[in-house]
Amino acid sequence: MRLTFEWIRNRYSLRFASAADIGCGTGTFVDYLCRVESGPVWGVDLSSQMLEVAVVKNVGNRAKFLLQDMRQLCLPQTVDLVTCQFEALNYLTTTDDLHSALAWCGRARTPGGSAVFDVTTERLDDPVENRLVYLQRSPSRSVTVRAAYDPLSRTQIARLEVTDATGVEVEIHCQRTHTVGDVTIAMAASGLELVAVHDLGDILPAGPESAGCKVFVARRT
């Protein structure tokens, strides 16, 4: 995502003195933003556990973190740049939720401010995708995921399972693909001007993680 952002930043000459990373997770990209610019940087996520890690990771820089839902985003100030990556917008499973999130993101930016975000627009409808995948495997710990995609509802359910000496922990992740049309309509309704849409595979070497993923660049009108 850093490489993707740098490619977008150079191609469209993005300039910003302040930024917010929405769905920041454990704060890795927030730390990167703090290192490339000198202004305030906000990290926003709905998971308190993720933010606990993000705070530790960003000790000593100027990052600040907020526990918020992106559908009701309320930053203490407007910023020049909003980023939202790693399929965070795909966790919004209705068109109304997508409209709400982009509307709040639009209001969070200064006039002329930019947004860079990715959205998965399609997934493979293939039975082989519904297989067990080991993300980590050792004698003491394993992390597995099994995902199934329903093309009619455009939803994917992924079961993430962590097994170690303490037992088993399970997370269920539900995501929905949003078409390019879904996103551009939601942007227009939110006062955002579409600058460009790129296939992630055109920016980075093509791989499973880039299939169907689009990167959007927008500005606040």
Side-chain angles (χ1 to χ4, degrees):
M1 291 300 100
R2 177 182 60 80
L3 294 174
T4 301
F5 177 77
E6 289 174 350
W7 188 90
I8 293 289
R9 184 185 185 191
N10 291 333
R11 176 154 183 170
Y12 296 100
S13 301
L14 298 186
R15 299 288 182 265
F16 59 95
S18 56
D21 188 35
I22 313 303
C24 68
T26 61
T28 301
F29 196 73
V30 170
D31 178 62
Y32 164 77
L33 290 172
C34 286
R35 287 186 278 112
V36 298
E37 291 296 339
S38 59
V41 177
W42 300 90
V44 181
D45 205 278
L46 190 58
S47 167
S48 58
Q49 293 91 342
M50 289 280 197
L51 291 179
E52 287 174 4
V53 178
V55 168
V56 174
K57 187 180 291 185
N58 286 270
V59 167
N61 63 27
R62 62 192 177 282
K64 298 181 180 179
F65 294 93
L66 299 170
L67 179 67
Q68 290 186 5
D69 188 320
M70 69 173 71
R71 294 168 296 182
Q72 298 176 337
L73 185 67
C74 185
L75 299 180
Q77 64 181 92
T78 55
V79 293
D80 300 326
L81 172 72
V82 172
T83 59
C84 187
Q85 303 178 97
F86 295 105
E87 298 184 328
L89 286 171
N90 289 108
Y91 281 95
L92 305 176
T93 56
T94 70
T95 302
D96 287 345
D97 284 347
L98 181 65
H99 278 253
S100 295
L102 291 182
W104 285 108
C105 285
R107 297 186 189 106
R109 277 175 296 161
T110 55
S114 301
V116 178
F117 55 91
D118 66 63
V119 177
T120 293
T121 58
E122 60 181 321
R123 296 193 188 276
L124 296 176
D125 178 25
D126 190 334
V128 75
E129 292 300 303
N130 189 19
R131 69 188 189 279
L132 188 67
V133 176
Y134 280 89
L135 303 181
Q136 184 184 60
R137 193 175 191 179
S138 70
S140 60
R141 188 170 189 261
S142 69
V143 182
T144 61
V145 64
R146 187 189 298 274
Y149 179 63
D150 176 13
L152 294 179
S153 62
R154 307 210 314 262
T155 56
Q156 174 178 274
I157 305 296
R159 176 186 172 91
L160 183 70
E161 188 172 298
V162 181
T163 305
D164 57 22
T166 64
V168 180
E169 291 190 15
V170 175
E171 292 181 1
I172 303 298
H173 293 257
C174 180
Q175 293 179 293
R176 181 176 185 263
T177 59
H178 300 292
T179 67
V180 172
D182 291 339
V183 178
T184 53
I185 290 172
M187 288 171 55
S190 304
L192 303 176
E193 178 186 4
L194 178 64
V195 175
V197 183
H198 292 279
D199 287 318
L200 183 58
D202 292 340
I203 301 172
L204 300 177
E209 70 283 351
S210 65
C213 187
K214 308 289 186 185
V215 181
F216 292 77
V217 185
R219 290 194 176 96
R220 178 180 173 186
T221 56

